[in-house]
Amino acid sequence: MSSSEEKKAQVFDKSKVTVIFVLGGPGAGKGTQCANLVNDLGFCHLSAGDLLRAEQNREGSEYGEMIRTYIKEGQIVPMEVTIKLLENAMNAALAEGLPGEGWADGKGRFLIDGFPRKMDQAQKFDNEVCECSLVLFFTTTEEEMLKRLLKRGETSGREDDNEESIKKRFRVYKEQTMPVIEHYTKLHKAATIDATATIEEVHQKAKAVVEEVFSGQVNRNITA
Ligand code: UDP
Ligand code: MG
């Protein structure tokens, strides 16, 4: 048996399906920047948090209450649930297809926002679902993130956009998500982008980094 056969096959073929993880603290601007990148490069944008909230609200879901509790406490939902939701959403997008050359002949490109937030998720997804090509890492100060989240909380209706939940999310981010970013930095897959500037400035930097992935220049750490 060759070594490639010994390894369990991944769900998606990396030569066709490009996965970019988007990380950064709560309120760093991941969702906003993903929405902009979708238009530039024809991505399917999947937010792990949005998928979890949709599952939480889905009638008949056996996970609804569990998800609600984890989100309110800023804790990471057990990875099997989140990974299954992502996998289902990826399959649906690939079955339907999107416009543009990035989706021709069974190909697809995904921005996976707010995931993986914990090492176990990162390893399982890379090994069993689809190995990521790049990690966009948006960084800014906790003070700035708190300000943005409290502002968002005025209208978001999110149960975790309050000061108490936000503090818990910051702690989980430092303890569990920072090791993920260090892991990808060691693999030379992390692109660190200062997200303190204006939305448009950050967008231009992120766009330039992502374009490099599709021109074949992966595997290097970038700071923009
Ligand atoms: N969450 C999770 N696993 C994930 C992504 C999100 O459990 O892989 C939960 C977690 O409780 C997190 C919440 O969903 O605090 C909100 O995540 P989201 O990405 O929506 O928040 P953001 O970072 O955008 O403020
Ligand atoms: Mg978000």
Side-chain angles (χ1 to χ4, degrees):
M1 200 192 267
S2 77
S3 61
S4 64
E5 279 163 342
E6 280 164 23
K7 255 175 114 183
K8 197 164 166 272
Q10 299 185 343
V11 178
F12 301 103
D13 176 356
K14 197 194 165 204
S15 69
K16 292 202 159 189
V17 175
T18 305
V19 167
I20 296 180
F21 291 145
V22 182
L23 291 177
K30 302 180 291 289
T32 304
Q33 294 301 333
C34 283
N36 287 329
L37 291 170
V38 160
N39 298 326
D40 299 330
L41 289 129
F43 283 105
C44 172
H45 170 205
L46 297 176
S47 155
D50 287 351
L51 289 171
L52 286 166
R53 282 182 286 273
E55 178 64 20
Q56 174 194 302
N57 295 324
R58 189 175 64 83
E59 212 168 304
S61 167
E62 58 181 300
Y63 304 115
E65 273 318 300
M66 185 264 286
I67 293 172
R68 185 185 311 279
T69 308
Y70 273 86
I71 288 185
K72 194 136 189 276
E73 291 301 315
Q75 294 293 331
I76 314 295
V77 172
M79 65 172 171
E80 287 76 11
V81 174
T82 314
I83 289 178
K84 199 68 206 160
L85 291 172
L86 284 168
E87 209 181 301
N88 290 348
M90 289 172 74
N91 269 321
L94 287 163
E96 190 151 320
L98 258 75
E101 50 149 344
W103 293 80
D105 313 316
K107 286 187 291 181
R109 39 178 78 166
F110 293 91
L111 284 176
I112 301 193
D113 162 7
F115 176 96
R117 285 171 130 88
K118 199 173 164 179
M119 269 313 287
D120 63 351
Q121 293 178 323
Q123 269 153 348
K124 189 174 170 73
F125 194 95
D126 273 341
N127 291 336
E128 296 177 24
V129 182
C130 190
E131 190 189 326
C132 76
S133 297
L134 175 79
V135 179
L136 280 180
F137 169 42
F138 292 109
T139 168
T140 183
T141 62
E142 219 165 82
E143 190 189 357
E144 178 66 24
M145 294 192 284
L146 177 65
K147 198 174 83 190
R148 292 178 185 178
L149 289 172
L150 291 175
K151 178 99 193 111
R152 183 172 81 183
E154 291 170 12
T155 54
S156 71
R158 274 179 52 164
E159 288 169 67
D160 60 349
D161 280 345
N162 58 77
E163 197 141 0
E164 199 187 331
S165 290
I166 292 167
K167 292 237 161 81
K168 292 178 180 166
R169 288 157 70 193
F170 283 159
R171 186 163 354 108
V172 169
Y173 171 68
K174 274 190 270 189
E175 290 173 2
Q176 307 198 28
T177 310
M178 283 312 293
V180 175
I181 292 157
E182 282 158 24
H183 165 74
Y184 286 115
T185 302
K186 282 195 200 118
L187 293 177
H188 301 281
K189 285 187 176 184
T192 304
I193 297 173
D194 181 357
T196 317
T198 66
I199 291 175
E200 191 44 33
E201 281 170 312
V202 176
H203 171 210
Q204 288 310 326
K205 285 184 187 176
K207 184 179 172 189
V209 171
V210 169
E211 277 172 344
E212 290 190 4
V213 171
F214 294 105
S215 60
Q217 297 180 47
V218 260
N219 285 350
R220 64 186 190 84
N221 288 333
I222 306 159
T223 302

